[in-house]
Amino acid sequence: MLAGEIYSAIDPDLSRELMETRAMIHEYNTLHPTETEKMRAILRELLGGIGDDQIIVNQPFHCDYGKQIRVGKRFFANFNFTVLDEAYVTIGDDCFVGPNVSIYTACHSTDPVERNSRREWALPVTIGHNVWIGGSVTILPGVTIGDNVTIGAGSVVNKDIPSNSVAVGNPCKVIKKIGRGACP
């Protein structure tokens, strides 16, 4: 699965891992919002890596495996952050995620017979440092978002977005370059 090869979505070992993760997510999402130390402890156990204890992930949060998700320092995710992490999801330092954002790594065939076989594959998602992802953004499998990027609310990111840009829309496109040498 992590190698990007075709796998069975109904594999018993994967199904067991999914259920274990769902139990942790359930516990996380039912904690009182003031129980920040317990929340951070669950995130440290659940996620594959966190940059520091300044991580904030507002409830509810949903993911498939958790251990394929790595976030950098000072990460913040607002309500209803959903990550289907059948492949690695790597998020850099100082990234902010708006409400209702979804990151998908799982891929399914468009052929109904093949899709019904429950065979699928996954592609990683990489998000650089200093990225703001607006509310209700969807990031599709295989996408890389560079450093210093803003993704506008409601965008569907289906292709790579270069560093130092503002991108919006469905499909998401760069509308402005930022930083040194960029036009206003």
Side-chain angles (χ1 to χ4, degrees):
M1 181 173 78
L2 293 174
E5 296 176 9
I6 294 174
Y7 63 91
S8 171
I10 55 175
D11 176 85
D13 291 332
L14 293 178
S15 296
R16 179 188 43 74
E17 286 184 50
L18 286 168
M19 288 301 115
E20 290 170 1
T21 301
R22 286 184 186 155
M24 291 178 70
I25 290 293
H26 175 75
E27 180 182 358
Y28 181 86
N29 287 332
T30 57
L31 286 172
H32 192 276
T34 60
E35 295 183 271
T36 54
E37 286 309 311
K38 285 184 183 177
M39 294 169 91
R40 285 190 185 109
I42 290 172
L43 290 174
R44 280 192 298 273
E45 183 180 347
L46 176 67
L47 302 182
I50 62 172
D52 60 22
D53 273 347
Q54 295 182 41
I55 182 174
I56 297 171
V57 178
N58 283 337
Q59 302 152 303
F61 166 58
H62 302 282
C63 65
D64 278 341
Y65 296 94
K67 63 185 177 183
Q68 276 83 251
I69 303 169
R70 289 161 174 75
V71 299
K73 296 176 183 172
R74 298 169 298 278
F75 176 74
F76 172 81
N78 216 322
F79 308 105
N80 295 314
F81 183 40
T82 300
V83 184
L84 304 186
D85 59 315
E86 279 67 22
Y88 290 111
V89 174
T90 306
I91 302 173
D93 295 341
D94 297 300
C95 289
F96 300 92
V97 175
N100 303 309
V101 168
S102 298
I103 299 174
Y104 305 143
T105 65
C107 302
H108 309 276
S109 176
T110 55
D111 177 86
V113 173
E114 189 175 326
R115 184 172 54 245
N116 289 339
S117 75
R118 306 300 192 261
R119 292 170 50 83
E120 54 190 57
W121 65 99
L123 299 172
V125 169
T126 303
I127 298 170
H129 302 294
N130 304 306
V131 174
W132 172 254
I133 300 170
S136 298
V137 166
T138 301
I139 301 171
L140 297 179
V143 165
T144 295
I145 297 172
D147 296 335
N148 310 311
V149 170
T150 298
I151 304 292
S155 296
V156 177
V157 186
N158 64 348
K159 292 191 176 34
D160 293 352
I161 303 295
S163 293
N164 305 308
S165 34
V166 176
V168 300
N170 181 4
C172 191
K173 294 183 179 164
V174 173
I175 60 164
K176 178 180 172 182
K177 294 296 280 180
I178 58 171
R180 193 175 277 180
C183 295

